[in-house]
Amino acid sequence: MLVLENLISAFSVLRGSKLRTVLTLLGITIGIAGVIAMMSFGAGAEKLMMAEFENIGGPSMFGVYRPGHIRKNNRWQRNTSPHYLDMQDLYDILADCPSVEVATVERSHPIDFKVEGKHRQTYLRATTNEYQAVRRWKTEYGRFLADTDMDFWNKVCVIGAKVWKEQFKGQNPIGKEVRINNRRFTVIGIMESRGDGLERGRSDDNMIFIPITTAQTRFGGRNRVGAIMARAKSIDVVDQALKEVKTVISRNHGGDDTFFRTWNAKKGIESGKRMIFIIESVLVVIASVSLIVAGIGILNIMLVSVTERIPEIGLRKAVGAKSLDIRIQFLTESVILCLIGSLLGIALGAVVGNGFAWIVGKFLDEMSWPAVITLKAVLISVGAGAAVGIFLGHYAASQAAKMTPIDAIRHT
């Protein structure tokens, strides 16, 4: 009953000073909205990063590549090693690495893609038929590269969804002839859309896929490959699988383990999340400045309210109200203000977060940046609002509770 009376009294007081209440709510709303918007931006970045890793095959993916430059003695130097990754490395990895579930190779380079006289600058990705399994990527129409295409160096290609929509205007391209660097190829399939990636101009949907053997014979490079991509049998054995692969490649190239480098999605996800957390924390701290300012405003309002209501405090104490009752009354008003401001701030923060994501997406050329309002962000915001109300309202409540009935009544 006492709680209900305090709530009724608090709403009555807040309603009696509408302008003061609105200005106070505005401060706390803007503060909470800033926190929500920044956390939404950080959560969107994490979602985008995880989507990118899922697009390459998931957290158990890893790869080996030969960089053009390597770091030696704290200096970047040209990679002059005579060794290159090749198809034999792939065969031996599949045979001698028990922790590897599936593996493939790839070579990528820019090409001129021509359809009925219309040119398009895009990227070629030469690979094997296991590429689909490694990337967990299916064809939307037609088929992907097959063993027979590899064995007979067939001049066939699979196109990305963006290439299909823009070059063929959505019409059926299966069986049609195209030109890749002025060489004739036949379209045999269309990949499912993976969306725009983080790397501008290198979206998977903008790729052309051909057999690695065809690329080696038609575009040079002999038996060499640009990179080897593999997926471990589970995320728990990624490190073991990577160790096995490094051992095989080093063995195949006379013990040289310096000409190649490795990467793995698991470590990339951990590093990415750590970086996003740091950036998000900095943004939240900056946004929290307005929340602190709003809290100071609440403290000021509550102190003014105490001064104006000194006669009421004295009268209540004279008829038996305890110091705790007075303290709870003022604390209730402060917490209600902050909680209402928090709810309004969540709604405003969602709008601001979506608007901010839309603007960033426009700057990043067609890439959609998601705005994610998480339960964590909502709970933190409501908790912060309540904490501000309790912490700063407590001082004003204490000032009111310390008054004696005689002093309060005499103040009138």
Side-chain angles (χ1 to χ4, degrees):
M1 192 66 181
L2 181 61
V3 174
L4 182 60
E5 289 178 358
N6 279 325
L7 288 173
I8 293 172
S9 175
F11 278 110
S12 177
V13 170
L14 296 177
R15 197 164 50 243
S17 304
K18 292 183 177 64
L19 181 59
R20 182 191 299 171
T21 300
V22 168
L23 292 176
T24 306
L25 284 175
L26 184 61
I28 197 73
T29 297
I30 292 173
I32 293 295
V35 174
I36 285 284
M38 293 303 100
M39 294 188 73
S40 167
F41 183 75
E46 184 171 336
K47 183 178 179 180
L48 198 62
M49 179 192 72
M50 293 305 297
E52 285 294 304
F53 280 108
E54 284 299 325
N55 279 347
I56 66 170
S60 58
M61 279 287 299
F62 64 92
V64 184
Y65 63 98
R66 186 186 188 277
H69 291 79
I70 56 177
R71 192 171 180 82
K72 284 185 179 181
N73 301 322
N74 294 322
R75 292 178 56 192
W76 285 103
Q77 302 177 16
R78 188 185 180 93
N79 190 351
T80 57
S81 172
H83 298 288
Y84 289 82
L85 298 171
D86 55 40
M87 293 298 292
Q88 190 60 48
D89 293 325
L90 173 65
Y91 301 144
D92 290 342
I93 287 170
L94 291 172
D96 301 334
C97 298
S99 299
V100 174
E101 180 181 0
V102 64
T104 188
V105 296
E106 69 171 32
R107 277 175 50 183
S108 298
H109 43 84
I111 58 165
D112 176 64
F113 185 71
K114 184 179 178 183
V115 179
E116 297 178 350
K118 294 166 55 180
H119 292 267
R120 180 190 187 91
Q121 298 301 313
T122 183
Y123 278 84
L124 171 74
R125 183 163 290 171
T127 186
T128 68
N129 57 320
E130 288 88 3
Y131 185 84
Q132 272 191 302
V134 174
R135 294 286 305 274
R136 294 174 178 168
W137 196 6
K138 298 179 181 179
T139 52
E140 184 75 25
Y141 302 103
R143 66 174 179 85
F144 196 66
L145 308 174
D147 287 332
T148 52
D149 299 321
M150 306 290 298
D151 295 338
F152 295 103
W153 311 339
N154 289 342
K155 293 195 294 181
V156 295
C157 67
V158 181
I159 62 176
K162 192 172 184 179
V163 176
W164 170 48
K165 292 176 182 177
E166 295 183 3
Q167 292 289 99
F168 293 93
K169 305 302 180 184
Q171 296 180 356
N172 183 12
I174 308 300
K176 290 189 176 181
E177 187 178 276
V178 297
R179 286 183 175 269
I180 299 176
N181 284 356
N182 214 29
R183 291 179 173 86
R184 295 178 181 179
F185 280 76
T186 302
V187 178
I188 61 172
I190 305 169
M191 300 302 292
E192 286 181 338
S193 177
R194 279 287 176 92
D196 295 315
L198 291 173
E199 190 175 358
R200 182 176 296 180
R202 297 292 294 270
S203 165
D204 282 338
D205 289 350
N206 203 35
M207 293 288 180
I208 310 295
F209 303 89
I210 69 171
I212 183 70
T213 52
T214 304
Q216 290 168 341
T217 55
R218 305 292 178 182
F219 299 106
R222 292 171 291 180
N223 201 37
R224 296 174 183 175
V225 299
I228 297 175
M229 297 172 61
R231 191 170 70 244
K233 290 183 176 178
S234 74
I235 193 172
D236 298 325
V237 297
V238 169
D239 294 335
Q240 177 61 29
L242 197 52
K243 183 178 178 181
E244 294 169 0
V245 168
K246 290 170 68 175
T247 299
V248 167
I249 295 176
S250 178
R251 181 194 68 194
N252 287 1
H253 297 274
D256 185 0
D257 61 355
T258 61
F259 79 95
F260 64 91
R261 295 291 182 266
T262 64
W263 64 269
N264 71 82
K266 179 182 176 183
K267 185 176 290 185
I269 290 172
E270 292 172 354
S271 300
K273 284 186 175 180
R274 186 162 54 248
M275 183 63 66
I276 289 172
F277 174 76
I278 293 172
I279 295 173
E280 185 183 67
S281 298
V282 172
L283 292 174
V284 169
V285 168
I286 294 172
S288 297
V289 172
S290 59
L291 189 58
I292 294 171
V293 173
I296 294 172
I298 290 176
L299 176 59
N300 182 52
I301 292 298
M302 295 306 298
L303 288 175
V304 170
S305 180
V306 168
T307 303
E308 291 179 346
R309 294 160 63 189
I310 287 177
E312 175 193 334
I313 295 169
L315 184 59
R316 289 194 62 188
K317 282 202 166 190
V319 296
K322 299 178 181 178
S323 295
L324 180 61
D325 298 327
I326 304 298
R327 192 186 303 271
I328 291 176
Q329 178 186 351
F330 282 89
L331 267 177
T332 302
E333 295 173 17
S334 177
V335 171
I336 286 175
L337 269 174
C338 289
L339 287 179
I340 294 175
S342 297
L343 296 176
L344 294 174
I346 292 170
L348 179 60
V351 174
V352 173
N354 278 281
F356 193 47
W358 180 81
I359 293 171
V360 172
K362 287 294 182 184
F363 275 107
L364 294 179
D365 288 343
E366 300 181 359
M367 189 185 75
S368 177
W369 189 287
V372 182
I373 306 298
T374 63
L375 179 61
K376 172 186 172 184
V378 172
L379 292 177
I380 287 177
S381 299
V382 173
V388 168
I390 293 172
F391 181 73
L392 296 177
H394 181 267
Y395 178 76
S398 297
Q399 294 297 104
K402 288 177 183 177
M403 294 183 182
T404 62
I406 297 297
D407 292 336
I409 294 173
R410 185 179 298 160
H411 189 272
T412 61

